[in-house]
């Protein structure tokens, strides 16, 4: 692992278990936890290979697997990966630092058709590694593959920086929305969902 993530440095030691318990409770209450997965499912062909980058407790990857996609989920927090493995059979869940992501070394050499980066993941990576994270994600994406990224606009990672980092990673911006259910983008939105594509040539 590289530099400590903000998930580690900006939260307490009990935060991971709180997060696990929260999403288990929401699932038990019947909350809709699949909004991100519905958007990604609409972007890809049936049976696509999808990387859930910063997979947390596995809710997004599990929803995509339930829709027939082949899913690999990665997260830097072993507790979250353990919870995902316990709660969601089907996808492969791995502990990995997104800034140093090398899934070929973990036995997953095949490129992905899409990557989903939900749950404010880019706001929780180690400071200064955002561009590295986007580069490593792009390196695992097939040409013409898509990346769907969502994070709060007030989380310390300005959209101008994100857009520059995406371009540096070889990704092209295609769409931006204010929510995962495709509400129109506006400059004062407190959340941004961006669809990027790795050009085919």
């Amino acid at each position: 692992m590289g530099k400590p993530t903000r998930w580690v440095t900006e939260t307490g030691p009990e935060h991971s278990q709180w997060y696990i318990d929260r999403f288990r409770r929401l699932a038990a209450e019947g909350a809709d936890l699949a909004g991100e997965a519905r958007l990604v499912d609409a972007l890809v062909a049936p049976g696509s290979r999808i990387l859930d980058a910063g997979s947390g407790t596995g809710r997004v990857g599990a929803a995509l697997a339930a829709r027939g996609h082949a899913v690999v989920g990665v997260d830097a927090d072993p507790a979250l990966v353990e919870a995902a493995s316990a709660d969601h059979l089907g996808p492969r869940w791995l502990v990995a630092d997104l800034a140093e992501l090398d899934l070929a070394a973990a036995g997953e050499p095949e490129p992905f058709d899409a990557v989903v980066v939900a749950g404010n993941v880019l706001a929780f990576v180690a400071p200064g590694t955002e561009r590295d994270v986007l580069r490593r994600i792009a390196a695992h994406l097939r040409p013409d593959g898509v990346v769907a990224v969502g994070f709060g606009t007030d989380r310390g990672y300005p959209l101008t920086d994100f857009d520059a980092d995406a371009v540096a990673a070889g990704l092209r911006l295609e769409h931006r929305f204010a929510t995962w259910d495709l509400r129109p983008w506006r400059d004062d939105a407190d959340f941004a969902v961006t669809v990027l594509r790795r050009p085919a040539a």
Side-chain angles (χ1 to χ4, degrees):
M1 291 284 180
K3 294 191 283 186
T5 65
R6 291 185 183 94
W7 182 264
V8 172
T9 61
E10 297 183 7
T11 66
E14 74 292 338
H15 185 71
S16 294
Q17 190 59 53
W18 170 85
Y19 190 79
I20 292 165
D21 293 342
R22 175 185 178 220
F23 279 101
R24 283 176 173 164
R25 183 181 69 254
L26 288 169
E29 293 170 353
D32 179 8
L33 301 177
E36 300 99 328
R38 285 194 295 273
L39 186 151
V40 175
D41 183 53
L43 292 172
V44 297
S48 287
R49 181 169 162 80
I50 300 176
L51 173 61
D52 185 356
S55 51
T57 59
R59 63 183 180 81
V60 178
L64 286 163
R67 286 163 169 76
H69 302 293
V71 176
V72 176
V74 298
D75 200 283
D77 187 331
L80 299 186
V81 172
E82 183 179 348
S85 300
D87 294 350
H88 306 293
L89 302 179
R92 185 175 183 204
W93 307 108
L94 299 168
V95 177
D97 183 340
L98 293 178
E100 301 176 345
L101 192 62
D102 181 4
L103 289 178
E108 295 285 347
E110 187 180 344
F112 293 87
D113 301 301
V115 182
V116 57
V117 193
N120 285 306
V121 168
L122 284 177
F124 281 114
V125 301
T129 66
E130 295 89 354
R131 184 169 293 191
D132 293 331
V133 168
L134 289 168
R135 282 179 170 150
R136 294 312 306 149
I137 285 171
H140 287 78
L141 195 63
R142 69 165 173 77
D144 202 40
V146 296
V147 183
V149 183
F151 60 91
T153 56
D154 60 349
R155 302 300 293 261
Y157 186 32
L159 279 176
T160 51
D161 291 354
F162 168 72
D163 289 344
D165 290 343
V167 169
L171 299 167
R172 184 181 67 232
L173 189 151
E174 285 199 346
H175 305 287
R176 177 161 287 149
F177 305 99
T179 62
W180 285 99
D181 61 353
L182 308 185
R183 293 180 189 272
W185 172 250
R186 60 184 196 281
D187 289 339
D188 65 344
D190 60 5
F191 200 83
V193 175
T194 304
V195 177
L196 305 165
R197 189 175 298 273
R198 180 182 174 190

